[in-house]
């Protein structure tokens, strides 16, 4: 019996699920440990149309969530918290909790002429050839962004700028893979699947800690 299903979802669907609580992050809410440059690279991968891997969710187990409630009927994010947090930070402009447990924002800038991303810094902020914060662009009006950019950079090629900004705005329409573990699995099986994935692939530091937290909260 296959213990999982694999689906592709639009990034924007995944983010909507996170916002509505349809995908729940377990009570062990690890701080965001990625460097900002890793968030930049993730955005570049999406822009280039590269795959960004899978997140793993477990349907409908009864696990205690961050707000103390039980997760009945929700998907629990078992693996991929850092990636999902990076997406909410860069695309939605949401706050993250960093390594020192401070609320902060990660602003990713985009250069439509060179089609490259960078972590926003004071030099970029002063430079009119950069769009300073992609979350504002993605959630704004393409016509207005293109018009304002060309007004500030009259020497830029209009068609090229339109194309690159349009590609940027379409990032949420790119897909991410979601592996959904079956609802009827027990915690031991989920932990075993989790450990195998993480020992074969990229090892997530503290990830097994997240699993053990889930296990101890499993009703």
């Amino acid at each position: 019996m296959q213990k999982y299903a694999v689906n592709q979802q639009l990034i924007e669907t995944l983010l909507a699920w996170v916002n509505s609580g349809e995908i729940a992050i377990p009570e062990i809410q690890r701080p965001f440990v990625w460097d900002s440059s890793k968030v930049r690279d993730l955005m570049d991968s999406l822009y280039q149309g590269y795959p960004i891997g899978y997140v793993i969710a477990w349907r409908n187990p009864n696990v205690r969530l961050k707000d103390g409630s039980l997760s009945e009927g929700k998907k629990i994010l078992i693996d991929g918290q850092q990636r999902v947090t990076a997406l909410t930070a860069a695309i939605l402009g949401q706050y993250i909790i960093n390594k020192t447990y401070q609320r902060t924002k990660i602003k990713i800038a985009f250069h439509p002429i060179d089609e490259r991303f960078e972590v926003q810094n004071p030099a970029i902020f002063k430079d009119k050839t950069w769009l300073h914060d992609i979350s504002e662009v993605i959630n704004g009006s393409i016509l207005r962004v293109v018009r304002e950019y060309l007004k500030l950079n009259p020497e830029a090629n209009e068609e090229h700028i339109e194309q690159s900004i349009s590609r940027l705005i379409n990032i949420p329409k790119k897909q991410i893979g979601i592996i959904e573990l079956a609802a009827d699995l027990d915690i031991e099986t989920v932990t075993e699947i989790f450990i195998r994935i993480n020992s074969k692939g990229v090892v997530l530091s503290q990830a097994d800690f997240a699993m053990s937290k889930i296990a101890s909260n499993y009703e």
Side-chain angles (χ1 to χ4, degrees):
M1 178 204 108
Q2 185 155 306
K3 296 180 165 57
Y4 65 94
V6 180
N7 297 299
Q8 294 287 335
Q9 292 294 350
L10 301 182
I11 300 276
E12 64 184 8
T13 305
L14 176 72
L15 294 178
W17 284 348
V18 170
N19 272 346
S20 69
E22 163 80 11
I23 278 197
I25 294 175
E27 176 190 24
I28 163 56
Q29 172 65 306
R30 289 182 291 146
F32 186 69
V33 294
W34 274 17
D35 284 337
S36 302
S37 60
K38 222 171 157 181
V39 182
R40 172 201 66 200
D41 295 346
L42 183 71
M43 289 302 112
D44 187 60
S45 291
L46 284 167
Y47 183 84
Q48 306 292 350
Y50 299 160
I52 60 163
Y54 288 87
V55 300
I56 303 176
W58 182 21
R59 261 176 311 181
N60 198 15
N62 277 343
V63 171
R64 198 164 292 287
L65 300 176
K66 247 177 32 231
D67 61 5
S69 65
L70 287 174
S71 65
E72 235 169 315
K74 295 179 177 175
K75 307 180 212 291
I76 298 284
L77 192 63
I78 296 292
D79 196 357
Q81 184 191 321
Q82 299 289 311
R83 241 166 321 155
V84 170
T85 306
L87 293 170
T88 60
I91 295 175
L92 301 180
Q94 291 184 356
Y95 283 93
I96 58 129
I97 303 295
N98 67 14
K99 292 173 207 169
T100 55
Y101 291 90
Q102 285 163 318
R103 276 179 96 235
T104 182
K105 287 196 171 190
I106 295 175
K107 294 185 179 174
I108 303 298
F110 177 68
H111 198 293
I113 300 170
D114 299 345
E115 296 185 68
R116 65 191 178 90
F117 293 83
E118 204 41 82
V119 179
Q120 192 199 96
N121 61 39
I124 282 175
F125 197 71
K126 289 196 198 84
D127 186 337
K128 62 186 194 312
T129 61
W130 286 88
L131 295 167
H132 301 145
D133 182 353
I134 63 169
S135 72
E136 289 175 6
V137 178
I138 289 172
N139 299 299
S141 136
I142 182 164
L143 277 171
R144 206 186 73 237
V145 174
V146 171
R147 202 182 303 136
E148 284 175 6
Y149 189 85
L150 291 169
K151 200 161 69 185
L152 290 171
N153 301 279
E155 71 299 333
N157 176 317
E158 189 172 338
E159 197 180 341
H160 176 72
I161 296 306
E162 262 178 40
Q163 278 174 350
S164 59
I165 291 178
S166 165
R167 261 178 87 182
L168 173 70
I169 283 180
N170 276 320
I171 280 180
K173 299 271 188 270
K174 298 286 174 73
Q175 293 190 322
I176 186 167
I178 300 185
I179 296 173
E180 275 197 37
L181 303 181
D184 56 7
L185 297 181
D186 59 25
I187 186 76
E188 285 74 24
T189 310
V190 172
T191 306
E192 179 61 25
I193 289 170
F194 182 86
I195 288 165
R196 289 191 191 190
I197 287 165
N198 281 300
S199 59
K200 300 289 181 292
V202 182
V203 177
L204 297 180
S205 63
Q206 291 179 301
D208 44 353
F209 175 57
M211 274 312 301
S212 64
K213 269 303 263 201
I214 292 173
S216 66
N217 283 315
Y218 189 64
E219 300 289 311

